[in-house]
């Protein structure tokens, strides 16, 4: 019975690494390593380049997007995400304690 339970158990979800970057565009968002983000940024900074941007995301998928559709490369460290969560909890708490005039 234990073998069946082990077989049916859901695999443990992978938590994101400490630091990663996101490449965002009209195509969506891809999570990439710092090295890949730097390569993407260098490619975007060049004046004479091809139309396509090719890179690999953190899961190893090969991504090919039109360069002009990329609108941002963002850093996301564990500390930044912690501060974001803290900030949004404080905002939520402030909103909950601040009565709205129409709720009286």
């Amino acid at each position: 019975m234990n073998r069946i339970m082990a077989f049916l158990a859901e695999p443990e979800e992978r938590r994101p690494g400490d630091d990663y970057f996101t490449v965002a565009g009209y195509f969506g968002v891809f999570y990439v390593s710092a090295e890949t983000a730097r390569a993407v940024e260098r490619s975007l900074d060049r004046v004479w380049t091809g139309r396509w941007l090719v890179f690999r995301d953190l899961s190893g998928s090969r991504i090919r997007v039109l360069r002009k559709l990329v609108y941002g490369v963002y850093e996301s460290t564990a500390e930044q995400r912690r501060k974001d969560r803290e900030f949004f909890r404080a905002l939520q708490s402030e909103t909950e304690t601040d009565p709205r005039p129409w709720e009286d």
Side-chain angles (χ1 to χ4, degrees), residues 15-22 31-35 58 74-81:
R15 295 185 58 119
D18 288 339
D19 302 337
Y20 59 85
F21 284 72
T22 58
Y31 302 97
V32 299
S33 67
E35 180 182 325
L58 286 178
Y74 307 100
E75 179 183 32
S76 181
T77 65
E79 181 65 16
Q80 289 167 335
R81 293 189 303 275

Side-chain angles (χ1 to χ4, degrees), residues 50-92:
R51 291 178 46 195
W52 295 96
L53 184 62
V54 180
F55 58 92
R56 293 204 178 267
D57 67 3
L58 286 178
S59 64
S61 298
R62 184 174 181 269
I63 312 297
R64 182 181 171 99
V65 296
L66 282 171
R67 184 179 316 280
K68 66 182 178 182
L69 297 182
V70 175
Y71 59 72
V73 177
Y74 307 100
E75 179 183 32
S76 181
T77 65
E79 181 65 16
Q80 289 167 335
R81 293 189 303 275
R82 184 192 64 74
K83 286 181 180 179
D84 281 345
R85 288 189 300 271
E86 194 176 280
F87 176 75
F88 287 115
R89 278 193 291 268
L91 278 180
Q92 182 66 31

